[in-house]
């Protein structure tokens, strides 16, 4: 008889092993492809109520958790897998007790400097690329790593108007049809079109899934988009109307948003239509995977009839509870983008 599968975690607090791993009752880590910060929730046992009664020092908000997942004897007795999830900033602590006490830590993969999300700035850049913008903003917060997967284009004029750096950078990525993912020490900016064109890493059939929910909808999806914007000049007579249409007219997404020129309007319309159409066919499933799953990878569903096809992974929530490991996976079916 083979050795039993077991999932476990290693948790460091401010880079030190303080015994949190041994106290972990459950861990839930959500890996998002873009748009949201990754987050972790760790529930720790406090059987003797030393944390609740103040006899032991609690972990503190603003401090760092470093998480690694281990899968022991996963596909064979000798199969040992590990996944260094990353570093997170504690932003939430919950204490509770009944028959026994617990402490739950919530943490996010955002820079420790809160200014990235909370300090509003107004600034203007001329003749700059989005990559250069990202690098300049990262330098303010000591973020060192930028992973760039997309085309670079010089932007004639970019204005940050009373926005946080986080919101401003996200808006600029959206306008270019690019995705932004924020880590504690860096950023990933990528074009989903490139990721979707890759092969699939995982194959699931109905026999591999504990549960599955599939949705197909026409509501809120579009065949094309239209941007209309009047750009003011120095004088009323110099005002310029920008009117750009992409795709086909059956179901138009109409936008009125600030743009510099027709090219920016075209990119914006394409990006917004493609984003909306990601919900045309979506799936949520719970699996016990053969290997670690990652957001932004593609997976394929087979032997499921109309559900069959290649999907882009929008998010994966890794759940470790009592040595058991499972994943909640959310994705959309890869489609022909504008």
């Amino acid at each position: 008889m083979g050795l039993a599968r077991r999932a476990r975690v290693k948790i460091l607090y401010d880079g030190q092993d303080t015994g949190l791993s041994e106290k972990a009752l459950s861990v839930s880590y959500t890996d998002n492809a873009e748009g949201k910060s990754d987050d972790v929730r760790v529930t720790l046992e406090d059987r003797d109520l030393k944390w609740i009664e103040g006899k032991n020092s609690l972990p503190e908000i603003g401090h760092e958790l470093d998480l690694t997942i281990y899968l022991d004897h996963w596909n064979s007795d000798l199969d040992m897998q590990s996944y260094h999830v990353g570093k997170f900033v504690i932003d939430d602590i919950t204490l509770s007790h009944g028959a026994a006490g617990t402490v739950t830590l919530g943490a996010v993969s955002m820079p420790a400097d809160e200014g990235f999300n909370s300090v509003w700035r107004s600034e203007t850049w001329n003749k700059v690329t989005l990559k250069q913008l990202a690098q300049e903003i990262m330098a303010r917060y000591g973020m060192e790593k930028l992973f760039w997967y997309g085309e670079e284009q010089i932007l004639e004029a970019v204005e940050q108007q009373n926005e946080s750096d986080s919101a401003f950078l996200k808006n600029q990525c959206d306008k270019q049809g690019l995705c932004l993912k924020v880590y504690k020490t860096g950023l990933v900016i990528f074009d989903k079109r490139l990721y979707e064109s890759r092969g699939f890493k995982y194959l699931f059939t109905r026999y591999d899934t504990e549960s599955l929910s599939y949705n197909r909808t026409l509501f809120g999806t579009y065949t094309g988009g239209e941007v209309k914007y009047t750009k003011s000049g120095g004088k009323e007579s110099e005002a310029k109307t920008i009117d750009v249409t992409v795709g086909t007219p059956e179901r138009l997404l109409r936008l009125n948003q600030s743009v510099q020129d027709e090219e920016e309007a075209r990119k914006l319309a394409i990006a917004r239509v493609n984003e909306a159409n990601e919900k045309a066919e979506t799936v949520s499933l719970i699996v016990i995977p053969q290997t670690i799953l990652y957001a932004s990878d593609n997976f394929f569903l087979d032997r499921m009839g109309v559900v069959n096809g290649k999907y882009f992974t929008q998010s994966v929530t890794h759940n470790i509870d009592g040595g058991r490991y499972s994943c909640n996976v959310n994705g959309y079916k890869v489609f022909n983008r504008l």
Side-chain angles (χ1 to χ4, degrees):
M1 182 180 292
L3 297 173
R5 283 181 165 186
R6 182 174 68 123
R8 55 189 173 89
V9 294
K10 182 176 182 180
I11 305 169
L12 302 181
Y13 177 71
D14 286 341
Q16 302 296 316
D17 187 350
T18 60
L20 297 183
S21 306
E22 291 73 24
K23 293 182 178 293
L25 296 173
S26 65
V27 175
S28 176
Y29 158 59
T30 300
D31 175 15
N32 295 298
E34 52 97 16
K36 297 179 182 178
S37 301
D38 292 351
D39 64 80
V40 167
R41 291 193 69 79
V42 179
T43 298
L44 307 167
E45 67 174 352
D46 188 20
R47 189 174 303 167
D48 50 13
L49 305 183
K50 287 185 177 180
W51 274 326
I52 289 177
E53 293 177 355
K55 296 177 182 177
N56 286 347
S57 296
L58 271 171
E60 296 181 9
I61 286 176
H63 287 244
E64 181 183 277
L65 292 182
D66 187 310
L67 177 66
T68 302
I69 295 173
Y70 294 92
L71 303 180
D72 299 337
H73 324 302
W74 206 246
N75 297 308
S76 69
D77 287 353
L78 299 178
D79 183 18
M80 313 288 280
Q81 301 183 37
S82 65
Y83 175 23
H84 181 226
V85 172
K87 298 178 180 180
F88 301 80
V89 178
I90 299 173
D91 69 343
D92 185 85
I93 300 175
T94 301
L95 286 77
S96 62
H97 78 86
T102 61
V103 174
T104 300
L105 307 177
V108 293
S109 62
M110 294 293 288
D113 189 332
E114 294 181 359
F116 185 67
N117 279 324
S118 60
V119 174
W120 271 246
R121 302 177 187 273
S122 294
E123 194 167 345
T124 301
W125 288 267
N126 292 300
K127 294 190 181 301
V128 66
T129 66
L130 182 56
K131 186 176 182 179
Q132 290 170 334
L133 274 180
Q135 290 169 330
E136 185 172 331
I137 288 172
M138 286 172 55
R140 292 173 179 164
Y141 306 101
M143 302 167 75
E144 299 175 350
K145 299 177 182 178
L146 173 62
F147 298 93
W148 178 274
Y149 304 98
E151 296 181 358
E152 286 194 70
Q153 178 184 347
I154 294 177
L155 308 175
E156 292 297 324
V158 182
E159 191 170 359
Q160 183 177 0
Q161 294 182 316
N162 198 30
E163 293 176 284
S164 68
D165 285 337
S166 174
F168 169 68
L169 194 54
K170 175 70 166 60
N171 289 338
Q172 295 306 312
C173 287
D174 287 347
K175 283 186 175 182
Q176 298 297 314
L178 298 175
C179 300
L180 171 67
K181 179 160 183 172
V182 180
Y183 290 97
K184 186 173 183 293
T185 58
L187 303 174
V188 180
I189 297 177
F190 65 96
D191 185 344
K192 274 188 182 175
R193 194 186 303 269
L194 298 178
Y195 278 43
E196 291 168 353
S197 67
R198 301 180 302 186
F200 59 89
K201 282 194 175 181
Y202 318 106
L203 173 69
F204 302 119
T205 71
R206 64 186 180 88
Y207 304 106
D208 303 309
T209 61
E210 292 192 345
S211 69
L212 181 144
S213 174
Y214 166 81
N215 178 257
R216 178 187 293 176
T217 185
L218 188 64
F219 179 77
T221 64
Y222 302 93
T223 60
E226 179 185 63
V227 176
K228 285 189 176 182
Y229 175 66
T230 300
K231 182 180 178 182
S232 300
K235 301 177 182 179
E236 186 175 345
S237 60
E238 296 176 349
K240 178 184 178 183
T241 298
I242 298 171
D243 189 347
V244 172
T245 302
V246 299
T248 58
E250 292 83 5
R251 298 191 312 279
L252 276 182
L253 172 62
R254 290 182 168 83
L255 302 166
N256 186 345
Q257 188 171 333
S258 171
V259 289
Q260 291 294 319
D261 51 35
E262 285 80 1
E263 178 59 21
E264 185 174 314
R266 187 185 69 83
K267 282 192 170 184
L268 175 65
I270 290 172
R272 291 288 189 270
V273 170
N274 285 334
E275 180 182 20
N277 288 346
E278 288 176 6
K279 63 175 173 284
E281 292 185 77
T282 58
V283 69
S284 297
L285 55 150
I286 298 177
V287 297
I288 299 178
Q290 297 303 308
T291 186
I292 299 290
L293 307 181
Y294 299 91
S296 79
D297 281 338
N298 299 318
F299 62 91
F300 197 92
L301 296 182
D302 195 18
R303 286 185 275 176
M304 296 190 186
V306 297
V307 182
N308 286 352
K310 185 168 78 170
Y311 291 77
F312 177 87
T313 308
Q314 291 178 298
S315 69
V316 181
T317 298
H318 304 258
N319 303 298
I320 299 97
D321 191 341
R324 185 179 187 274
Y325 174 62
S326 64
C327 289
N328 296 61
V329 182
N330 295 291
Y332 62 83
K333 184 173 282 189
V334 174
F335 59 95
N336 293 324
R337 291 177 173 264
L338 290 184

